[in-house]
Each structure stands twice: as C-alpha cells, then as structure tokens.
C-alpha cells in the first residue's frame, strides 16, 4: 500500500490510478504496448549487469 506508515504524502490521483492499473495488467498477464516496451527495456538493462550477492 502506497504511503502507509510514512511521513511522505500519499500517492493519489492519476498517478496512483495508473500504478494500480499497471499492477492489475501485470498480475493478469494482460500487458499493453507500453508495458511490453518497459519489460523489454528492463530485460536489456538486466543483461548488461551482473548481480553480486553480498551475503556471507
């Protein structure tokens, strides 16, 4: 839940609505063109970096 237990202002309005809509599309696997572009960009970025765990 956005904005819970924080002194920061809560996310509301169009931005919150867009975030909720995107979360629903991801959860239902019904991605739109914009979501697919974001996913492809994220995949490209992740291929450029290697994740190293700092756990000992």
């Amino acid at each position: 839940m956005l904005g819970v237990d924080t002194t920061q202002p809560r996310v509301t309005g169009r931005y919150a609505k867009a975030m909720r809509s995107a979360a629903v599309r991801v959860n239902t696997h019904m991605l739109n063109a914009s979501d697919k572009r974001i996913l492809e960009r994220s995949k490209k970025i992740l291929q450029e970096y290697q994740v190293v765990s700092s756990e000992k």
Side-chain angles (χ1 to χ4, degrees):
M1 302 206 10
L2 301 173
V4 175
D5 295 333
T6 181
T7 58
Q8 300 297 320
R10 293 187 181 189
V11 177
T12 60
R14 289 184 294 175
Y15 185 68
K17 183 177 179 181
M19 290 178 67
R20 282 192 299 270
S21 296
V24 168
R25 289 191 306 273
V26 169
N27 191 44
T28 60
H29 305 285
M30 301 290 289
L31 303 177
N32 63 20
S34 176
D35 297 331
K36 291 176 183 177
R37 282 192 305 271
I38 293 168
L39 181 61
E40 288 304 315
R41 181 177 181 271
S42 296
K43 286 179 181 179
K44 287 180 184 178
I45 291 171
L46 287 173
Q47 289 175 350
E48 295 181 20
Y49 299 96
Q50 180 179 355
V51 177
V52 179
S53 176
S54 62
E55 294 181 20
K56 294 180 182 179

